[in-house]
Amino acid sequence: MKSQTSAVESEDKFERIGGSSIGGGTFWGLGALLTKTKRFDELLQLASKGQHSSVDMLVKDIYGGSYGYLGLTGDLIASSFGKSATADKEFSKEDMAKSLLHMISNDIGQLACLYAKLHNLSRVYFGGFFIRGHPVTMHTITYSINFFTKGEVQALFLRHEGYLGAIGAFLKGAEEDNPNQYSWGENYAGSSGLMSVSPDMNPMQRARSGTFDMLEMDRLERQLVNLPLLQDPSSYIPDTVDLIEDAQAREYWLYCFEEALDGVVKRAVASQPDIPEAAERAEKFRQKYRHKLQTLRHQPFAYGSLTVRSLLDTREHCLNEFNFPDPYSKIKERENDIALKYYQKAVKSLEELSWEDRQFALVRGVLAGNVFDWGAKAVSEVLESNPEFGFEEAKRRLEERPWLIDSFDQWLERLKGPPHRCALFFVDNSGVDIILGVMPFVRELLSRGTEVVLASNSGPALNDVTNSELQILTERIAAMDPVIESALREDSLTLIQSGSSSPCLDLSRLDKVLAMVVRERQTDLVIIEGMGRAIHTNYYAMLSCESLKMAVIKNSWLADRLGGKLFSVVFKFLPSCVFGHH
Amino acid sequence: ICSVLFKSKVNYAFSSPAFPWFGMDIGGTLVKLVYFEPVDITAEEEQEEVENLKSIRRYLTSNVAYGKTGVRDVHLELRNLTMCGRTGNLHFIRFPTQAMPRFIQMGRDKNFSSLHTTLCATGGGAYKFENDFRTMADLELLKLDELDCLIRGLLFIDRVGFNGHPECYYFQNPSDPHSCVKKPCNLDNPFPMLLVNIGSGVSILAVYSENDYKRVTGTSLGGGTFLGLCCLLTGCETFEEALEMASKGDSTNVDKLVKDIYGGDYERFGLQGSAVASSFGHMMCKEKRDSISKEDLARATLITITNNIGSIARMCALNEKIERVVFVGNFLRINTLSTKLLAYAMDFWSKGQLRALFLEHEGYFGAVGALMELLKTSEDL
């Protein structure tokens, strides 16, 4: 309720730099006195309908126009409530509430700017319980900040604003025995998101009973950290497209995920054939996820940022909620078994090629393997209708060069140079992808003397391979391949969980052990595979070492957006970014 | 050659502008008028003086109230002042801007336009009422920027002093109500200074020299806000009434203090229990609303607005790296509560690094500056 200002340097280092006694309590108190309205939210609703110019003295009331000499436009408020002493008539509640809101918001904004200027800060976060997601308040504060800093300082708001203190207290208690050992993430299934209190703002409100919202958090028993190889961790944003800003993209993806629901539900039910209530649970999942999508349609910012990643993660959380932790588990097993059968043959035919041809074949192999992705509608349709669709077929159908993004020549040149010390490979799908595409590629790196760290999901997502599954797979491959077998034994091939349970990849939240190993082994090459990890996220990510991003675009809208067509290939090799821009 | 190179006293007198000499500052709420009453009029001049000029002089100097709302601040009169070669008394008059139409009417009735004088005016009203002056009274205003005039007027009055006494003062021991005492000072080497002009709204200027200044910022929570809110909350009608009520009220019934939240001090950050945590913070509660008086509300409004201005001024002083903060403007007229509170706030929150200064002629500097422009223009001739 009161206004306090703190400058925050890091999670543990902050300073209270000042405060003001004019805050939400002032707004409420004065508002109650002036308008006889008792409830805070009602006051804000009144304010959103008021005209403050009847109550306030504006520059044009004093100057008859703008104060040109100083560049103060006529509409600016010169004196809040300046007309109240001299007016003959009574003011409406709405107008007074609006004036009050402007007065308080502008004042808070101005003080925030003065503090920001003194301490050289460019971002101001507004917490506390004054704002509550009311657009009118956020607009006035943002306007105020922009006005007083001429756009140099950014006003930012927090979804859980007033509850941050309580949440912090909870976290401190929960981590009491082992601080810094845990990581926390929001569970999108359980959290109700940012709900606007105003019924006309949020039509979903009527469906809810009571007025409380929920924040559900998952605690991970492992710490998550930045990838040490990010060029600029402070400015790293994993997501390629911001669905809050990009309305067209948002429309498309919300629709896409809604359309895909049927297939996902079917898959979920099919994954638990012996359990009769699976169908019921699957239906509940459908309702829940659809409700989330509809909420996001009306309030895209309900869960903070909205991205393809968050939509995918929300779906995973909802599946988990209704006890479908791994709907693809049997499919993954089956496809692994089939792919393993072809492994030795694949490796042998690669060995028969010339060095240069082999490099190309390996790349094509990864790309073709990446096509086998049940997550993508276009592919799952093919796989469903044609079970014989195999690896060879995929390779044949792969886009001809030049690819949509094609740095193969540069990659080939690089391979002629000294071998990399250590490569970090973020893998994608199970089955053909990991076994027939990735493994031979890894094998080649190992033969050159490059160490390899395979980073796979900590938890299941779609048909992505998990770390525990990969452990087993690699053992089975080692049994038929001495190269892999000795690499495992000598520790030049290591398998580490990434810390993620998503089809996408957030390089700022990786398992601490992985980060440690990456540093220890002086990793100088990062390879990211697949649409989720290399295109929906990290497409623009800048790393301080060499990087290779490989994916086949399995969504025609996305392909079109990027200037290609369905099944276009992205093969993006970037030399080290340490010196200069690319 | 002599008459070109040297300006004799006689020549100098001829180059001063025609009487009457006025400076006007038309603000959002108040019009401030300064009038120079010459006391060195020769018999010859008196003879030639036109009738309406005489009547204006008599009307202004023999009254202390004009109409229902005009007031002459006699205690501020500067006696035997020399300006532009003439000696006279400088009078300080004010009336509400709302009464402007009546004032213009008076100008027409007294045939002011026949007096060949330039009416120098500053403030927003100089622009807003320009047309009215022209059409209703056939008068052409010389419009001047309010901040230019403010600074010029302020420096002039400080230079000439207040009838032999200093114009500027401050408070010693502002943090101790028992030993807090008003002390005079001079503004020699006044630069740099942070000038906070509290009128209907507030402007904050950083002044580096007479001609080098910038408007740092402003706030819309000013004197107009205090008066406006007071009127709405208590039903009072004038500034005097509002201050009267405020002097009798107890704002701690209205404001939520740190001790109301913490049960005492918020030690970790050095906030005393008596500090205001939330202005009007008790007013969301019906019982409290019913138990406070109008006086309490008036006081709380005054304290809130004053402290806020103090906060903003202090932050500006820090940002601009200026230690001297001068407060002017009619919000401080007969308002010792605010004056002392500002002195205290500057001293307390800056741990003695900042000093608040005040000036006796508070809100009139713009008008004085306008008058000086009138005299300067003719000096150039």
Side-chain angles (χ1 to χ4, degrees):
Chain A
M1 276 300 174
K2 55 189 193 276
S3 304
Q4 288 225 58
T5 323
S6 305
V8 181
E9 255 184 66
S10 74
E11 218 170 292
D12 306 311
K13 192 156 182 247
F14 63 91
E15 201 194 320
R16 181 183 187 273
I17 57 181
S20 161
S21 65
I22 296 185
T26 315
F27 176 72
W28 194 349
L30 272 174
L33 288 167
L34 291 170
T35 68
K36 316 277 181 272
T37 306
K38 290 169 224 124
R39 286 184 37 228
F40 189 85
D41 294 312
E42 253 183 76
L43 260 177
L44 286 169
Q45 272 164 44
L46 284 176
S48 64
K49 300 190 210 129
Q51 292 293 324
H52 73 99
S53 49
S54 49
V55 179
D56 293 336
M57 186 185 287
L58 308 179
V59 169
K60 68 182 173 204
D61 293 317
I62 306 177
Y63 272 79
S66 63
Y67 181 179
Y69 191 63
L70 280 182
L72 296 173
T73 60
D75 292 319
L76 289 175
I77 304 173
S79 177
S80 296
F81 286 89
K83 288 195 177 116
S84 313
T86 52
D88 330 299
K89 57 180 164 63
E90 266 193 26
F91 298 116
S92 74
K93 289 185 188 173
E94 287 81 0
D95 291 350
M96 286 196 288
K98 189 83 198 283
S99 283
L100 199 54
L101 183 64
H102 275 298
M103 184 176 107
I104 307 242
S105 301
N106 282 336
D107 191 55
I108 294 175
Q110 181 176 33
L111 274 164
C113 291
L114 287 169
Y115 279 108
K117 183 172 178 200
L118 189 64
H119 295 265
N120 250 315
L121 304 165
S122 62
R123 278 178 297 198
V124 178
Y125 291 87
F126 289 92
F129 222 16
F130 178 46
I131 296 157
R132 308 209 200 171
H134 282 266
V136 66
T137 316
M138 291 193 277
H139 280 145
T140 19
I141 291 183
T142 304
Y143 177 87
S144 170
I145 300 273
N146 281 337
F147 176 81
F148 286 110
T149 63
K150 303 199 200 338
E152 280 180 28
V153 169
Q154 198 188 12
L156 298 156
F157 304 94
L158 302 159
R159 276 193 289 143
H160 298 92
E161 19 159 60
Y163 293 103
L164 296 172
I167 295 173
F170 166 76
L171 288 172
K172 277 220 165 211
E175 295 186 1
E176 201 174 11
D177 304 327
N178 293 299
N180 295 327
Q181 189 172 301
Y182 305 113
S183 293
W184 298 85
E186 184 174 5
N187 184 307
Y188 296 123
S191 295
S192 56
L194 178 69
M195 290 295 152
S196 171
V197 247
S198 152
D200 28 88
M201 268 303 302
N202 179 18
M204 310 307 290
Q205 181 83 0
R206 286 182 213 113
R208 292 172 32 198
S209 62
T211 52
F212 62 87
D213 294 313
M214 272 239 289
L215 169 66
E216 185 172 319
M217 295 189 285
D218 293 328
R219 188 178 78 176
L220 294 130
E221 307 295 311
R222 303 174 74 93
Q223 247 201 300
L224 298 177
V225 299
N226 269 326
L227 176 70
L229 298 164
L230 278 174
Q231 196 193 12
D232 181 15
S234 64
S235 65
Y236 169 70
I237 298 174
D239 308 286
T240 306
V241 181
D242 181 348
L243 298 181
I244 298 205
E245 297 260 328
D246 193 335
Q248 203 203 37
R250 178 170 75 239
E251 258 315 297
Y252 171 73
W253 286 108
L254 284 175
Y255 160 78
C256 189
F257 277 91
E258 214 153 10
E259 286 289 295
L261 249 186
D262 270 349
V264 175
V265 170
K266 251 197 240 133
R267 171 78 39 232
V269 175
S271 71
Q272 296 177 359
D274 310 323
I275 306 173
E277 22 78 82
E280 207 187 303
R281 273 187 286 118
E283 270 318 298
K284 288 204 182 123
F285 154 76
R286 184 208 296 272
Q287 295 308 325
K288 180 129 204 179
Y289 190 60
R290 177 178 288 130
H291 186 266
K292 296 275 172 195
L293 291 175
Q294 283 168 341
T295 303
L296 289 167
R297 204 171 246 118
H298 289 113
Q299 279 192 272
F301 47 82
Y303 291 92
S305 58
L306 182 62
T307 58
V308 175
R309 176 169 64 112
S310 67
L311 288 172
L312 284 165
D313 289 350
T314 305
R315 193 166 68 185
E316 294 297 324
H317 291 177
C318 290
L319 283 167
N320 277 333
E321 167 115 336
F322 292 101
N323 242 315
F324 293 105
D326 194 3
Y328 288 85
S329 97
K330 298 232 174 53
I331 297 185
K332 284 189 280 184
E333 258 182 62
R334 195 172 62 228
E335 295 185 349
N336 286 341
D337 286 341
I338 297 174
L340 279 168
K341 289 206 184 87
Y342 291 97
Y343 178 77
Q344 279 173 311
K345 182 167 169 227
V347 165
K348 184 152 182 287
S349 53
L350 282 165
E351 277 177 341
E352 284 161 9
L353 297 171
S354 72
W355 180 85
E356 219 172 280
D357 287 346
R358 181 163 62 250
Q359 305 314 312
F360 186 64
L362 285 168
V363 166
R364 277 179 81 226
V366 173
L367 294 167
N370 192 242
V371 171
F372 287 80
D373 178 356
W374 281 91
K377 178 174 144 164
V379 175
S380 62
E381 276 172 355
V382 171
L383 289 173
E384 294 228 29
S385 62
N386 184 1
E388 299 290 302
F389 182 80
F391 193 37
E392 297 306 315
E393 182 74 14
K395 279 194 281 190
R396 257 199 307 277
R397 291 226 207 161
L398 199 65
E399 189 191 24
E400 288 292 316
R401 288 188 69 197
W403 295 321
L404 178 62
I405 307 281
D406 193 332
S407 3
F408 180 75
D409 294 334
Q410 291 95 307
W411 171 244
L412 191 62
E413 268 315 296
R414 174 60 188 86
L415 288 176
K416 292 179 186 160
H420 296 93
R421 260 190 318 263
C422 175
L424 167 63
F425 202 136
F426 287 98
V427 299
D428 193 5
N429 306 301
S430 306
V432 174
D433 187 340
I434 185 77
I435 296 170
L436 300 179
V438 173
M439 276 313 208
F441 190 95
V442 164
R443 194 178 184 275
E444 182 74 10
L445 286 171
L446 290 165
S447 327
R448 286 162 58 83
T450 302
E451 289 185 337
V452 176
V453 175
L454 284 181
S456 56
N457 270 15
S458 300
L462 296 170
N463 67 324
D464 294 359
V465 64
T466 64
N467 187 52
S468 32
E469 288 162 5
L470 189 57
Q471 304 272 3
I472 300 172
L473 272 178
T474 317
E475 291 292 325
R476 290 173 72 179
I477 291 176
M480 28 174 169
D481 185 342
V483 173
I484 300 291
E485 196 264 327
S486 62
L488 274 180
R489 206 180 349 105
E490 288 157 19
D491 224 18
S492 53
L493 172 62
T494 344
L495 279 47
I496 308 189
Q497 59 174 299
S498 63
S500 164
S501 301
S502 165
C504 297
L505 182 64
D506 179 355
L507 293 172
S508 66
R509 285 172 72 84
L510 294 178
D511 194 281
K512 192 170 185 190
V513 173
L514 177 62
M516 216 165 59
V517 170
V518 160
R519 222 182 274 115
E520 272 167 18
R521 304 221 175 170
Q522 299 176 313
T523 308
D524 52 354
L525 172 66
V526 173
I527 307 172
I528 310 180
E529 185 215 356
M531 214 167 69
R533 294 178 186 80
I535 303 196
H536 286 312
T537 49
N538 300 304
Y539 194 63
Y540 300 115
M542 303 284 261
L543 298 165
S544 56
C545 65
E546 290 178 44
S547 67
L548 185 54
K549 293 171 198 172
M550 296 190 272
V552 175
I553 306 179
K554 289 158 270 187
N555 176 290
S556 46
W557 182 93
L558 185 58
D560 185 64
R561 254 294 175 101
L562 293 171
K565 54 191 196 313
L566 187 59
F567 298 125
S568 282
V569 170
V570 170
F571 184 87
K572 194 173 185 182
F573 171 63
L574 285 176
S576 149
C577 280
V578 174
F579 307 103
H581 297 275
H582 293 275
Chain B
I1 296 173
C2 283
S3 57
V4 168
L5 291 178
F6 301 107
K7 267 186 171 172
S8 72
K9 253 202 170 134
V10 176
N11 278 347
Y12 197 69
F14 283 161
S15 71
S16 66
F19 285 123
W21 293 354
F22 280 112
M24 258 187 112
D25 178 358
I26 313 173
T29 308
L30 286 175
V31 179
K32 284 75 72 180
L33 192 64
V34 297
Y35 166 65
F36 182 86
E37 172 208 4
V39 296
D40 58 353
I41 297 185
T42 61
E44 202 185 315
E45 262 186 290
E46 184 126 24
Q47 196 85 351
E48 290 180 356
E49 204 180 25
V50 281
E51 207 35 56
N52 55 353
L53 178 57
K54 199 175 290 187
S55 95
I56 286 172
R57 184 155 50 84
R58 283 208 201 105
Y59 176 63
L60 290 176
T61 56
S62 51
N63 290 303
V64 293
Y66 312 97
K68 290 200 204 111
T69 54
V71 174
R72 180 159 62 97
D73 283 317
V74 183
H75 65 288
L76 292 178
E77 183 179 325
L78 292 180
R79 287 184 286 279
N80 296 319
L81 195 64
T82 303
M83 287 184 97
C84 211
R86 302 298 305 253
T87 309
N89 298 327
L90 198 58
H91 297 282
F92 296 86
I93 297 161
R94 59 184 155 85
F95 58 90
T97 310
Q98 269 198 315
M100 202 55 186
R102 249 175 293 144
F103 177 79
I104 300 177
Q105 183 80 351
M106 231 174 21
R108 190 179 72 180
D109 295 342
K110 296 222 183 284
N111 215 352
F112 203 85
S113 55
S114 70
L115 288 170
H116 303 297
T117 184
T118 320
L119 191 48
C120 287
T122 185
Y127 295 80
K128 182 173 175 183
F129 294 103
E130 187 181 16
N131 251 353
D132 292 333
F133 269 95
R134 203 181 280 132
T135 56
M136 284 169 63
D138 194 24
L139 282 168
E140 203 58 43
L141 292 181
L142 177 60
K143 301 193 296 288
L144 302 158
D145 175 68
E146 62 177 87
L147 300 180
D148 283 341
C149 289
L150 168 63
I151 293 172
R152 198 181 310 126
L154 190 160
L155 293 171
F156 174 76
I157 301 282
D158 180 68
R159 251 194 325 267
V160 302
F162 189 3
N163 298 328
H165 304 290
E167 163 75 7
C168 179
Y169 65 93
Y170 68 99
F171 285 94
Q172 199 173 62
N173 300 325
S175 306
D176 183 352
H178 299 295
S179 65
C180 174
V181 65
K182 176 170 161 178
K183 287 216 119 129
C185 73
N186 273 323
L187 276 184
D188 319 324
N189 298 322
F191 308 115
M193 76 162 114
L194 195 75
L195 184 56
V196 182
N197 186 19
I198 315 175
S200 313
V202 182
S203 271
I204 300 184
L205 318 178
V207 189
Y208 304 102
S209 78
E210 180 144 2
N211 298 307
D212 181 16
Y213 71 89
K214 71 174 184 192
R215 183 180 185 274
V216 177
T217 188
T219 171
S220 67
L221 282 79
T225 314
F226 162 65
L227 188 56
L229 276 177
C230 244
C231 294
L232 288 173
L233 292 171
T234 68
C236 71
E237 283 175 359
T238 66
F239 184 64
E240 286 78 1
E241 262 182 74
L243 283 181
E244 173 76 22
M245 279 201 252
S247 66
K248 299 196 205 121
D250 182 0
S251 60
T252 61
N253 292 331
V254 178
D255 294 334
K256 196 173 273 190
L257 309 178
V258 169
K259 69 179 178 211
D260 294 324
I261 304 175
Y262 271 80
D265 302 333
Y266 182 5
E267 280 169 26
R268 183 166 182 201
F269 292 111
L271 288 174
Q272 312 157 294
S274 58
V276 180
S278 176
S279 298
F280 288 88
H282 277 142
M283 298 292 92
M284 50 186 103
C285 165
K286 182 161 186 356
E287 275 143 25
K288 293 266 187 184
R289 279 203 298 275
D290 293 338
S291 72
I292 46 102
S293 68
K294 290 193 161 67
E295 286 77 9
D296 294 340
L297 285 174
R299 181 118 180 175
T301 312
L302 187 69
I303 303 284
T304 303
I305 298 289
T306 307
N307 272 331
N308 191 56
I309 294 173
S311 255
I312 295 175
R314 187 179 70 87
M315 291 307 297
C316 285
L318 282 174
N319 271 320
E320 302 299 318
K321 301 191 189 11
I322 297 178
E323 291 170 354
R324 201 183 354 227
V325 186
V326 181
F327 293 95
V328 298
N330 276 317
F331 174 65
L332 297 175
R333 186 178 71 80
I334 60 166
N335 189 355
T336 337
L337 252 170
S338 290
T339 316
K340 283 198 176 157
L341 188 52
L342 284 169
Y344 165 79
M346 289 295 110
D347 181 59
F348 182 75
W349 293 106
S350 73
K351 299 198 207 332
Q353 296 299 310
L354 295 176
R355 200 190 240 196
L357 299 174
F358 307 92
L359 298 161
E360 302 283 2
H361 285 82
E362 278 144 4
Y364 283 104
F365 300 112
V368 171
L371 172 64
M372 291 173 67
E373 186 62 31
L374 168 71
L375 303 179
K376 183 180 108 177
T377 328
S378 58
E379 266 172 41
D380 291 342
L381 289 171

